[in-house]
Amino acid sequence: MKETKEMKVKRSIITSIRTDCEFDTTCLTEHTEEMDRRMERNIRMNENKIAMGLKRAQEMQTR
């Protein structure tokens, strides 16, 4: 397995750099995809919790 070293740079810095060099931004896109997956998972979990809470509230009202 080939080990690669990537330079961790904040996005705000990247947008302000002017250079003729090419940057490998795969780490940024991979990070963004991972964060999107995490947010989607958290949203699904919260939606489930809300649905369970609504179901409990409805059960309490029908008693």
Side-chain angles (χ1 to χ4, degrees):
M1 182 177 205
K2 184 179 177 183
E3 182 179 331
T4 60
K5 293 186 179 183
E6 296 177 3
M7 188 171 81
K8 303 289 182 185
V9 180
K10 290 184 180 179
R11 282 190 208 181
S12 58
I13 294 173
I14 289 176
T15 57
S16 63
I17 292 175
R18 291 182 183 260
T19 180
D20 293 334
C21 299
E22 292 183 12
F23 287 97
D24 180 13
T25 58
T26 55
C27 63
L28 292 176
T29 56
E30 288 172 0
H31 174 72
T32 302
E33 290 171 0
E34 180 184 341
M35 293 305 292
D36 286 346
R37 281 193 302 270
R38 286 183 182 182
M39 287 192 308
E40 287 173 8
R41 189 186 83 223
N42 288 339
I43 289 169
R44 275 194 313 272
M45 288 176 16
N46 287 335
E47 287 173 342
N48 288 339
K49 288 179 186 177
I50 291 169
M52 289 175 64
L54 290 174
K55 185 177 178 181
R56 283 189 195 139
Q58 288 173 346
E59 288 175 357
M60 288 181 191
Q61 288 177 347
T62 57
R63 287 184 186 175

